[in-house]
Amino acid sequence: MEKNRGNDMAGKFDINDPKNKKVVIAVFLGIALIVGFYYLLLSPQGDVISGLETEVNQKKAEYSRLVALEKRVADLKAEIENNNARIEIAKKLLPTQQELPKLLREVTYASQSADLSLESFKPGKLEPKGDYLEFRIDLSLKGNFHSLGYFLSNLSLLPRIINVGDISISGVSGSSSSQTKKTHTISSSLNLVAYIYNEKK
């Protein structure tokens, strides 16, 4: 009986019936509106949303990179400060070219305070040695063993790095200094090597 009622309803639906036509037209218009709404509004919005998602992911990656860099800032600052401190120490130990006259005066004063007679004083040329320059000074001195030892001790107390090399000592007979009235018993020649801070390097 239910089947017969369904068949009756299906059979009663007539497409040519004006009422049924209105229903069909309304259904098609509804579907058309839905499809149009999707393609005209929702579909472009989907592209916009997809683009925004890509931009958000890029921003997240950039943010993560900046956070990682920020964590390194403290380490980099500490490293820079450490390097600056090392450079300042190097500048103190290695004089600059402008400070060479001061270095020469310090060497001269060290010999005078040791009661040595400075017979000759020959500064050499600056020789490049990579990160620093080498500066050689050839000296000839007269005095005694005690004075020479005192002079070398004075050099070791200077704030600059100075190496002593090629020392030769010979005895002298009856020579005396007019300034100190002390008898000179030895004549010595030696070279000093100072290391100069290479500012260009």
Side-chain angles (χ1 to χ4, degrees):
M1 187 172 180
E2 291 294 332
K3 290 182 180 180
N4 291 335
R5 185 178 295 176
N7 291 334
D8 290 341
M9 290 178 67
K12 289 180 181 178
F13 186 82
D14 186 3
I15 191 74
N16 294 320
D17 188 346
K19 292 181 179 180
N20 292 339
K21 282 184 178 180
K22 289 180 180 179
V23 171
V24 171
I25 291 171
V27 170
F28 277 111
L29 284 175
I31 293 172
L33 285 173
I34 291 170
V35 171
F37 178 76
Y38 173 78
Y39 281 105
L40 292 175
L41 295 176
L42 293 183
S43 183
Q45 292 299 322
D47 294 338
V48 171
I49 291 170
S50 177
L52 290 174
E53 286 177 348
T54 301
E55 186 175 349
V56 166
N57 290 332
Q58 291 175 348
K59 296 295 183 184
K60 283 182 178 179
E62 180 68 12
Y63 175 76
S64 298
R65 187 181 71 84
L66 292 175
V67 168
L69 286 176
E70 185 180 13
K71 291 178 180 178
R72 288 198 61 207
V73 166
D75 294 336
L76 291 173
K77 282 184 177 178
E79 185 176 345
I80 289 171
E81 289 175 1
N82 183 47
N83 286 337
N84 287 339
R86 291 174 63 188
I87 289 172
E88 290 305 315
I89 291 172
K91 284 182 178 179
K92 290 178 181 178
L93 296 177
L94 306 178
T96 61
Q97 292 187 43
Q98 289 77 12
E99 294 175 304
L100 280 180
K102 180 182 177 182
L103 176 65
L104 297 176
R105 286 195 301 270
E106 289 174 341
V107 172
T108 303
Y109 178 76
S111 68
Q112 291 173 349
S113 63
D115 289 333
L116 289 172
S117 175
L118 188 59
E119 300 295 309
S120 69
F121 187 91
K122 296 178 181 178
K125 295 181 179 179
L126 291 171
E127 298 290 338
K129 298 290 181 181
D131 292 336
Y132 60 90
L133 302 170
E134 200 173 80
F135 181 62
R136 178 174 168 142
I137 307 168
D138 292 324
L139 300 173
S140 291
L141 305 163
K142 281 187 178 181
N144 54 51
F145 282 105
H146 177 75
S147 297
L148 182 60
Y150 188 62
F151 169 66
L152 297 176
S153 176
N154 286 343
L155 291 181
S156 69
L157 296 176
L158 293 177
R160 311 299 186 183
I161 298 174
I162 299 177
N163 285 337
V164 180
D166 297 336
I167 298 179
S168 65
I169 300 173
S170 59
V172 294
S173 58
S175 176
S176 63
S177 169
S178 60
Q179 294 178 347
T180 63
K181 303 300 181 183
K182 290 186 178 179
T183 301
H184 294 160
T185 58
I186 62 167
S187 174
S188 60
S189 62
L190 65 154
N191 64 66
L192 307 179
V193 179
Y195 302 96
I196 310 300
Y197 180 68
N198 193 344
E199 294 173 290
K200 294 181 180 180
K201 195 72 174 180

